Amino acid sequence: MEHNEGAKRLRGKLPKVGIRPTIDGRRRGVRESLEGQTMGMAQAVERLITANLRHVNGMPVECVIADTTIGGVAEAAKCAEKFAREGVGVSISVTPAWCYSAETIDMDPLLPQAIWGFNGTERPGAVYLASALASLSQKGLPAFGIYGKDVRDADDSVIPEDVKEKILRFVRAGLAVAEMRGRSYLSVGGVAMGIGGSIVDPDFFQSYLGMRNEYVDMSELVRRIEEGIFDPEEFERALNWVKKNCQEGPDNNLPENQSSREKKDRDWQTSVKMAIIVRDLMVGNPRLADLGFEEEAEGHNAIAAGFQGQRQWTDHFPNGDFMEAILNSSFDWNGTREPFILATENDSLNGVAMLFGHLLSGTAQIFADVRTYWSPEAVKRVTGQELSGLAAGGIIHLINSGAAALDGTGAQSRDGEPVIRPFWEIAESEVKKCLEETSWRPAILGYFRGGGFSSCFLTRGGMPVTMSRVNLIKGLGPVLQIAEGYTVELPPDMHAILNERTDPTWPTTWFVPVLTGEDAFKDVYSVMSHWGANHGAISFGHIGGDLITLAAMLRLPVSMHNVPEERIFRPSAWAAFGSKDLEGADFRACGNFGPMYGKY
């Protein structure tokens, strides 16, 4: 198993983190006494970031430090020039002392920015922090303030734990913003079965995410299949890999309706070609230029995409389940690699939630219907058994036609516990386990008349996960929903009974949100009833805090979440919109400042 680490899938350089050491500019003793400490803070931040963060393609995150400390506007301008030259996408200012705030702040409106003011008594770093944040808020450039809880000594070079957490959370979210800017969402097809999320809104992508929209008709897949616009050598290698590693499961269609072996074999060939072609549509493939297809070799620079599928495609051709499942996974016939974010049914809003989760965690995402709430009473009535443990208060059945990433099996592990890893950490043995725990069931022909195969697995219990979703509301705009929780395992016979009541050929994840006892998280039923659409994106880990920080950068209000207050990190200006009702303040702040790219 080869690790395809560091492959650049998209055009352009990877965004870097810019670090700005600001300083009291008064010479003849003041500035000179602070030079070492101030630059030392910048270097400590660089070490923290480079030791803990990677880009989602596996490459290390690079930092750019200003050539000198910044004591005034001339040095601030020199720093800005360097940042533009070096491709900086995120800006952090650091200082242990007072500086001339409006002269030293970063004025770039498109760079997410934070300021760390050192908490020490020798010099007033907190005073500069407050002054600089006030200046930025007054200018309409909200920034994140970082200030350690405990006073430290001036010569203390260790970054406090609470400061570390905020710096890393800010940088993860800031890099996600920078990664999306200038990229594309590719719609393959149009609206699937009237689903609102697949009515792709280009103003949302442009104004809030800084992305463009690209469109191709699904007939482009037919053209490329029939005219051989794909790498034939890769196709043969991929098909052999599928035959070896993708085990077929039972066919649930009535015997008289089941496809012939010859038809199923053709469906496998078409499904593999579809996966290769949609990947090439997203990011291009230089091999196509070698084959004489220079235009097609370019791709659409798509950081995410969606495939309509139903029904115009799936009534005649094999469904997109294999294509979606394998592209969303962290591995294929080419080895382990960064997942390609591909939304089922072209649900672009769920695709964006998947993209958020991927950029923040570096891991594959599960696309699922938020399909059924099972109350303890209903489970007892249907199965004769009682839910217990984390599931005692009820469960949500996450299931969709078999397009979920195979990482969602939970077959990867860390310290004996199921996890979903970034691709660069995945061992060959874990890839094998994911494949072994997945069967490929012939598509139910009532849904998919054209045939195909759906991935089928049961997610292991005990994984911390976060479910999220973006919704568009007329008159309000986009909002983000977040529900942190856990996957759970049910007794096998209970699972079988519940699973057989829907389509057992599809992958199942049993999910229990963390409850707060209030509002949308009063109980499991309330979470289900407050969810804004039929789909959800599920990411490994409790990343709700990172999602809230990212949403604030983009001016997306969060309409429901169960993230503890100590993990909520938003720009300091949000406090001006109310400190008691944080959810209401978030809506007011986002409405006041407007979408990040709305004026550009």
Side-chain angles (χ1 to χ4, degrees), residues 72-248:
V73 68
E75 289 161 326
K78 292 176 183 176
C79 176
E81 291 172 4
K82 181 176 184 179
F83 281 8
R85 197 168 56 246
E86 294 286 341
V88 164
V90 186
S91 174
I92 300 181
S93 299
V94 301
T95 189
W98 168 254
C99 314
Y100 294 0
S101 60
E103 298 179 19
T104 57
I105 56 176
D106 191 334
M107 293 284 288
D108 191 326
L110 299 184
L111 289 186
Q113 68 166 296
I115 302 172
W116 172 27
F118 184 76
N119 185 1
T121 57
E122 291 83 358
R123 298 281 183 174
V127 179
Y128 171 72
L129 174 63
S131 178
L133 291 173
S135 296
L136 288 162
S137 296
Q138 190 170 335
K139 295 173 183 295
L141 303 170
F144 291 77
I146 301 173
Y147 183 61
K149 181 180 179 181
D150 298 319
V151 173
R152 315 290 290 198
D153 297 329
D155 60 355
D156 191 340
S157 60
V158 177
I159 302 177
E161 290 301 318
D162 58 336
V163 172
K164 284 182 182 179
E165 181 180 349
K166 288 184 176 179
I167 290 173
L168 294 176
R169 175 160 291 147
F170 166 78
V171 173
R172 280 193 295 267
L175 286 174
V177 170
E179 290 274 10
M180 288 185 285
R181 187 183 307 137
R183 308 304 187 190
S184 306
Y185 177 88
L186 174 64
S187 295
V188 182
V191 179
M193 302 180 294
I195 292 172
S198 60
I199 305 172
V200 180
D201 186 330
D203 183 62
F204 163 65
F205 279 91
Q206 176 180 325
S207 298
Y208 285 88
L209 308 181
M211 292 173 58
R212 69 174 69 209
N213 296 86
E214 292 282 289
Y215 309 86
V216 297
D217 192 85
M218 291 184 292
S219 62
E220 176 64 4
L221 273 71
V222 179
R223 182 180 80 91
R224 293 196 181 202
I225 289 172
E226 293 185 352
E227 296 185 19
I229 307 175
F230 55 87
D231 183 348
E233 294 178 1
E234 182 182 12
F235 167 67
E236 290 299 329
R237 185 173 72 254
L239 187 61
N240 289 333
W241 183 89
V242 166
K243 290 177 179 178
K244 179 181 178 181
N245 295 285
C246 297
Q247 56 186 330
E248 282 189 29

Side-chain angles (χ1 to χ4, degrees), residues 295-343:
E295 181 182 358
E296 291 85 350
E298 289 297 318
H300 292 265
N301 198 36
I303 196 172
F307 180 70
Q308 175 194 333
Q310 297 186 68
R311 289 183 44 205
Q312 287 75 6
W313 181 270
T314 57
D315 277 2
H316 183 67
F317 295 103
N319 63 21
D321 286 4
F322 173 79
M323 168 187 68
E324 292 161 359
I326 203 66
L327 289 181
N328 277 313
S329 298
S330 300
F331 51 84
D332 59 19
W333 44 87
N334 291 319
T336 53
R337 44 98 179 122
E338 182 188 354
F340 295 86
I341 300 301
L342 181 61

Side-chain angles (χ1 to χ4, degrees), residues 245 247 406-412 418 430-440 455-460 489 507:
N245 295 285
Q247 56 186 330
L406 273 58
D407 305 67
T409 57
Q412 301 160 25
E430 293 176 313
V431 171
K432 184 179 180 181
K433 288 179 182 177
C434 290
L435 290 164
E436 289 174 346
E437 294 192 13
T438 304
S439 64
W440 296 90
S455 65
C456 179
F457 59 76
L458 174 61
T459 300
R460 295 186 184 183
E489 289 185 19

Side-chain angles (χ1 to χ4, degrees), residues 513-539:
V514 173
L515 303 177
T516 66
E518 297 179 343
D519 304 319
F521 292 90
K522 178 175 61 177
D523 50 34
V524 180
Y525 173 78
S526 295
V527 175
M528 178 78 178
S529 65
H530 279 81
W531 207 249
N534 51 311
H535 293 148
I538 296 85
S539 183

Side-chain angles (χ1 to χ4, degrees), residues 62 165 280 346 428 487 512 566 598:
E62 294 183 68
E165 181 180 349
D280 290 350
N346 197 25
E428 182 176 359
T487 63
V512 175
E566 61 268 20

